Structure formats: structure tokens, C-alpha cells
Amino acid sequence: MTLEPTTAEGRAGLAAIRTEPAQALLAFDYDGTLAPIVPDPTQAVPRPEAIGALAELASYVGWVAVVTGRPAAVAVELAALDGVRGLEGLVVLGHYGLERWDAATGTVETAEAPPGLDRARAELPGLLAGLDLADADMEDKGLSVAVHVRRLGDADRALERLAGPLRELATVCGLVAEPGRRVIELRPPGTDKGRALRGLVVETGARAVGFAGDDLGDLAAFAEVERLRSEEGLAGLLVCSGSVEQTALCERADLVVDGPEGVAGFIKALVAELRRER
Ligand SMILES: [Mg+2]
């Protein structure tokens, strides 16, 4: 795989990562980006080669992070990220930045559950039954609750019918409805992947930022990289993990790859380029 961003900003971002990797932060979404999307979200596991490539990448660049809507500990456990040689400095931001796991300490910092979450949990089964969607899968994520329609007969139609009622429920519970690939999540307001990424950039002082994602929840991180480029003079590279289910990110990406396999290929190709530069 050769790395050829299709935009001038992306080419500048890649060049900055290659020439000064120690000043670069590379951040990755989890589901649909590092790990393939599967019918049962508790089985979403990256290929071992993807984690191996990530560990190699971490030996070249300043910082590597995972930024996910999952609870941080769940992503760490699913991908077996604890104790991986080479990933001793890894940071996993969970729940769109409300949680943080540091490989250096092996501990998770988390936020208080929002007060309206119990009400959302209690009302969801009735809401789903009322829409004749009782077969949708409810996933309790601790600080949020998600409704998955992937296993329903007509998932797209189910998602359409759920969108309005779930938005209303989120509003009365003081939550926000976060749409994704065949899922809508009711989660606390006040954070998103853009703010999470910004926090890492401020903390690290990175001068170049790469971010890879696949879904609507990643748009905020894309927007933050665009802002860092245009307003703060940072270099940035936006990678879309392409899928037939979601194309919104591809239109804004500097580089589109074919799903999690393509992301692993991207990481490997970047490692190969960094190896040549060293
Ligand atoms: Mg994703």
C-alpha cells in the first residue's frame, strides 16, 4: 500500500508526520476502524496484526491514542491492549472523552453517570415495544445506553423510526442521541471526540495530528483536525475507514482506506515509511 492523500492538506499532514514523527499524535477510533463491525458488539476484536502495527507505530511517533464511544476498559479488554510491548504509552479515551485509560498506570479515570441515565434505561424497553422494535438490542455501556438494530430484518427502516423518539427521550433525560452505524446511543452531553482529541493535543503539544475514523461520531474529531490546521497551524491527516454503511467521512477525508483491514494497511505503510526516514 502506498500512502497518497488526495488533498494538499493531507499531503502536508503526512509529510509532517514523516519528517517529525516525535511531534506527531496518531489517534484511532475503535469500532469500524481498528476493529471490524460485527453483529454482536461484544465480539468486535481487531486482527492481531493491527495491534502489532499500532505498537510498531508507537515506537516512531510521539503519541498513539484510541478515541472511542465505548467504555475505555471495554476497548482495552476487547483489543487486549494492556501490557502490549510497544504500547506502554498508549492512551484510550472512552465514552467520547469522559473516560481515560493509560497503559502507563493500567487504570481508568471515569466520570459520574449522568442523572437522567436511569430514566432512559427504565423507559427504553417500553419505547421499543411501542414501536414494535422490542427485538432491538439494548447495550448498557455504564455512562450511556445504546440501541442496536443491526440484527433486525430491516435495520435502516428501524433506525429511521427510532431516531425521533430516541431524540425526544434523550432530551427529557438530559442526554444526547448519538447516531452511528445501525445504532443510536443515548449519552451524556458536553463532550465529543473533537474535544477529546483537542485535550490530547493540548496535553502533548503535538504539532501534527493524524486521526482515523469511520462513523458520524468521528465527524467532531475530523472538524477538530480541520480547525487545528486552519486556525492553529498544525499539520493534520484525516483517514476514513470506508464502508458502504457510512460515507459522510469519506467526503472529508484526506485518505480513504477499505475498512479496518485498510486501516491496518495504512498503519503498516506509515511504519514502513517512518522506518525508511529514520
Ligand atoms: Mg467507529
Side-chain angles (χ1 to χ4, degrees), residues 29-35 37 68 181 193 213-216 218:
D29 164 52
Y30 185 75
D31 291 277
T33 301
L34 289 177
I37 300 232
T68 174
R181 288 169 62 182
K193 290 188 181 180
D214 73 304
D215 206 350
L216 297 176
D218 299 310

Side-chain angles (χ1 to χ4, degrees), residues 65-181:
V66 175
V67 182
T68 174
R70 295 243 194 200
V74 171
V76 169
E77 192 181 336
L78 280 175
L81 293 171
D82 199 1
V84 177
R85 196 171 164 189
L87 290 179
E88 293 85 356
L90 180 71
V91 173
V92 177
L93 298 182
H95 278 296
Y96 305 87
L98 288 175
E99 283 191 344
R100 174 180 179 134
W101 176 86
D102 279 279
T105 60
T107 56
V108 174
E109 289 170 36
T110 190
E112 293 272 313
L117 188 59
D118 281 339
R119 180 175 168 185
R121 260 190 209 113
E123 292 192 12
L124 259 179
L127 182 151
L128 294 174
L131 292 166
D132 211 13
L133 293 170
D135 288 342
D137 292 308
M138 258 179 76
E139 182 193 8
D140 196 331
K141 298 166 79 171
L143 296 180
S144 67
V145 58
V147 180
H148 296 266
V149 298
R150 183 165 297 277
R151 295 201 268 201
L152 298 185
D154 190 346
D156 293 334
R157 176 86 187 108
L159 207 59
E160 268 175 43
R161 289 173 52 220
L162 269 171
L166 285 185
R167 257 199 314 273
E168 284 167 32
L169 180 61
T171 302
V172 298
C173 293
L175 305 171
V176 292
E178 179 84 43
R181 288 169 62 182

Side-chain angles (χ1 to χ4, degrees), residues 28-37 67-68 150 180-181 193 211-219 222 239-250 257-260 263:
F28 300 84
D29 164 52
Y30 185 75
D31 291 277
T33 301
L34 289 177
I37 300 232
V67 182
T68 174
R150 183 165 297 277
R181 288 169 62 182
K193 290 188 181 180
F211 181 82
D214 73 304
D215 206 350
L216 297 176
D218 299 310
L219 283 172
F222 268 40
V239 179
C240 171
S241 173
S243 72
V244 290
E245 287 176 4
Q246 183 51 259
T247 56
L249 271 80
C250 295
V257 299
D258 188 11
V263 172

